[in-house]
Amino acid sequence: MKAGEGSKGRDAQRTQDDTAVTGWRERRAILSDFKSEIIDHPRLSIGFGLFWTWVWLVFQTTFFSPSFLVEADLLLPGWIVPLAAYAVTFLVLGGLLKFKGIVPKGNAYLRLIPAVMSLGVLICGVLTFSPLQDPFVNAVVICFGALLMGAATSCFHVEWGRVLGALGPRKTILHGIVGTVLAAAILVLITSFSATFLWIIAFFIPILGMRLLVDESTSIPGLYPKIEDVRLNVPRRFLATSFTQGLSFGIVQTILLTGNYEVPVELLAGSSFAISALGLFVCALFFRMDFNQLIYQVGFLVMALGYLLMSLVAPSFIAALLVHLTGYRFVDIMMWALCVYLIKQRGLPTNWVFAITTCFLLLGQLTGSLVGAATIAQFSLSGQGAHVLSIVMVFAILSLALVLSDRKNLRTGWGMVRPGDAEEPAGDFEMGCELVCRQYGLTAREGEVLLLLAKGRNRAYICTALTLSKETVKTHIRNIYRKMGIHSQEEVFAAVEAEQKSYGFDGEAPHEMRI
C-alpha cells in the first residue's frame, strides 16, 4: 500500500514537472529567495526605485517641458533634448571601450555623475521659474542643462547595470519588481506636490540614489574586470527588440504628452508601474515561462493590445495608454535582465552591453516621438490619421514578435532562462540538449531522461538518478525516440551534438561512449 502511494506521489510529481505551471515547492523556493535577497540588499531595491523615478520624471513625463517648445507650437515632447544626450552618451561610452579600451571609473567619477545630474536640474528649474530676459539665451541654457541631465543619466544607468550584472538576471528581476513598485508609489505621491517641490525632489534623487548604489557596490568584488580579447557583439535580435520597444513607446508617449487628460501623467505612469510589477511577479512565481515567451508572447502582446484599444475606441483612450505603458514596463525589466545575462553568463563588458542596447532603445523612442509628432501635426489626435497609426502599430508589433521570437534566440540562452531559474549558467552541452527538447517538443521529465541518455547513461542509472521505475523510464525513452524519429541512444547523442554545432557551441559533450 505504501509502495503504491509512493508510486502515485512520483506520478503526480512527474505530471507537475511536465506542466507549464510551477509546483508549490518551486514557488516556496522562489518566495524564499525573493525574501532573503530583499532583506540582504534593501538599498538596491530602494536605489533602483529612485533611479526609475528619475528616468520617468525627466525622460517620460511632462515634468521637463521647456516653455520655448510650447511657445514655438511644436508637438515634440520636452524630454527629447535630454533623451538625445542620453542616447549619444551611450554611444560615446561604447566607443571608448571598443576603440580605446577605456572604462570610466573611480570615486571621483561616481561623485561627478549625480553632481552633473543635479546641476542640470538646478539650471532647468531656476530658468523655468525665473527665465532670462533674452528668450534665445534662456532656451540655450535650458538645453545645456537638459544635455547635462541626459549625459550623466547614461553614466548612472551603466553603473546600475554594472552592479546588477554582478548579481545576475534572477536577482535583477527581483530588485526590478520591488524597485518598480517603489517608483510607482513615489510617482503617485508626488502628484500632490507643488511644481517647486517637485523640482527640489528631482535635485536630490540622483545624490541619494548614487549613495545607495555605492554603499551596496562595496560588498561586490570584480565590478571592473579586465577587458582582454572579448568579442564586443550583441545579438541583432536583441537590438531589434530594443528599437521596436522604444519606437512603440515613443509614439504612445507623444500621444500621452500632447493630449489633455484629467488623470495626471505621473499617476498613469505609477499605475502602469505597479501593474507591470504584479504581472511579472505572477509570471515568475506561477509559470514556467522563459525570456523569449515573456518578452514576445506577454510583453509585446500587451503593448499591441494597448494600440488595439486606441484604434477601437480613440487614440486618447486613457485605459489604452495604461495597457501599453504596462506592457512597455514589463518588457523593460525583461530587457534589463537580458543585458545582465549577457554580462554575467556571456562575459560581455557592462559598458558595451548597456551602451549598445539602451542606445537602440532610445533611438527607437526618438524615432517614435518624431513619427508620432508628425502624424498628430498632420491629423488631429482623434482624427483618422492617429487611428490608422494605431492599427499599423498593432500589426507591426505582432509581426515583429513573430519574427524576433524564432529559435535563433536560443543560441544566447533567451529561450532557456526563466525568471525563477538559479543563476548558474548552463553549459554548451546542456544547452544543446535543451535545443533538442524544444525542437521535438519533449516534456520536462523527458528532457531529464534525454540529458542522461546523451551522456551515455544506461537505464539502471537513469532509474536511480531520477527515482523512477524501470517501466516509467522505458516509457519515457520510447516517447523520446518516437518524437525524434530515432531508434538508438547513439542517435540521441548525435542529435545533441548536431544542435551544438548548428548554433556554434564549442563545449564537448561529456559522452562516455566517445572514448
Side-chain angles (χ1 to χ4, degrees), residues 329-511:
R329 180 57 184 161
F330 185 95
V331 173
D332 206 34
I333 299 177
M334 290 294 100
M335 297 301 283
W336 266 79
L338 280 177
C339 284
V340 167
Y341 176 85
L342 292 174
I343 294 167
K344 185 175 179 65
Q345 300 184 1
R346 292 299 169 195
L348 291 175
T350 302
N351 285 50
W352 176 253
V353 171
F354 276 96
I356 193 68
T357 55
T358 311
C359 181
F360 268 71
L361 170 68
L362 300 178
L363 289 176
Q365 189 175 342
L366 286 169
T367 303
S369 300
L370 296 175
V371 170
T375 302
I376 295 172
Q378 186 69 28
F379 306 95
S380 65
L381 183 61
S382 59
Q384 182 180 2
H387 277 90
V388 171
L389 183 61
S390 299
I391 295 173
V392 169
M393 287 305 298
V394 172
F395 175 78
I397 292 174
L398 294 180
S399 298
L400 285 168
L402 290 174
V403 173
L404 296 173
S405 63
D406 68 11
R407 291 183 68 250
K408 293 183 179 180
N409 284 341
L410 300 181
R411 180 175 179 179
T412 62
W414 296 25
M416 303 178 197
V417 181
R418 300 176 300 168
D421 285 344
E423 296 297 342
E424 290 298 323
D428 287 351
F429 174 69
E430 286 75 13
M431 295 181 81
C433 291
E434 179 67 19
L435 288 168
V436 171
C437 292
R438 294 303 179 94
Q439 180 178 357
Y440 295 102
L442 304 185
T443 66
R445 181 61 77 181
E446 289 169 354
E448 294 176 354
V449 174
L450 177 130
L451 176 63
L452 295 176
L453 285 174
K455 289 181 177 181
R457 305 299 189 183
N458 58 31
R459 296 188 181 187
Y461 181 94
I462 296 174
C463 290
T464 303
L466 301 181
T467 319
L468 299 175
S469 66
K470 293 182 180 179
E471 286 301 317
T472 301
V473 170
K474 182 178 178 180
T475 299
H476 282 313
I477 292 176
R478 183 170 59 247
N479 290 336
I480 291 171
Y481 287 179
R482 175 179 54 80
K483 290 180 180 181
M484 296 179 62
I486 59 178
H487 303 89
S488 68
Q489 189 172 2
E490 277 293 336
E491 289 180 277
V492 171
F493 170 72
V496 173
E497 191 174 50
E499 285 295 320
Q500 285 184 261
K501 292 180 180 179
S502 174
Y503 281 88
F505 296 143
D506 299 324
E508 187 175 89
H511 186 58

Side-chain angles (χ1 to χ4, degrees), residues 209-231:
M210 180 58 81
R211 182 70 268 167
L212 293 170
L213 181 63
V214 170
D215 290 345
E216 191 64 44
S217 63
T218 55
S219 62
I220 302 176
L223 285 180
Y224 296 90
K226 292 183 179 180
I227 309 300
E228 297 179 354
D229 299 327
V230 178
R231 293 184 60 187

Side-chain angles (χ1 to χ4, degrees), residues 42-110:
R43 289 174 295 193
L44 279 180
S45 295
I46 297 172
F48 209 28
L50 291 174
F51 173 75
W52 282 114
T53 301
W54 163 270
V55 169
W56 272 77
L57 280 177
V58 177
F59 302 98
Q60 299 169 354
T61 68
T62 54
F63 169 68
F64 180 75
S65 296
S67 58
F68 68 88
L69 284 179
V70 179
E71 294 169 358
D73 198 26
L74 296 175
L75 291 176
L76 295 175
W79 44 255
I80 203 162
V81 179
L83 191 71
Y86 200 0
V88 171
T89 306
F90 274 122
L91 286 179
V92 173
L93 291 173
L96 285 174
L97 176 62
K98 184 174 179 63
F99 300 109
K100 299 293 184 179
I102 297 175
V103 176
K105 57 184 177 180
N107 293 331
Y109 173 70
L110 295 178

Side-chain angles (χ1 to χ4, degrees), residues 21-58:
V21 180
T22 59
W24 66 271
R25 291 182 180 177
E26 190 173 354
R27 292 174 200 163
R28 285 183 61 185
I30 294 174
L31 285 173
S32 177
D33 184 66
F34 184 96
K35 181 180 178 180
S36 60
E37 177 63 23
I38 299 305
I39 292 175
D40 293 339
H41 304 283
R43 289 174 295 193
L44 279 180
S45 295
I46 297 172
F48 209 28
L50 291 174
F51 173 75
W52 282 114
T53 301
W54 163 270
V55 169
W56 272 77
L57 280 177
V58 177

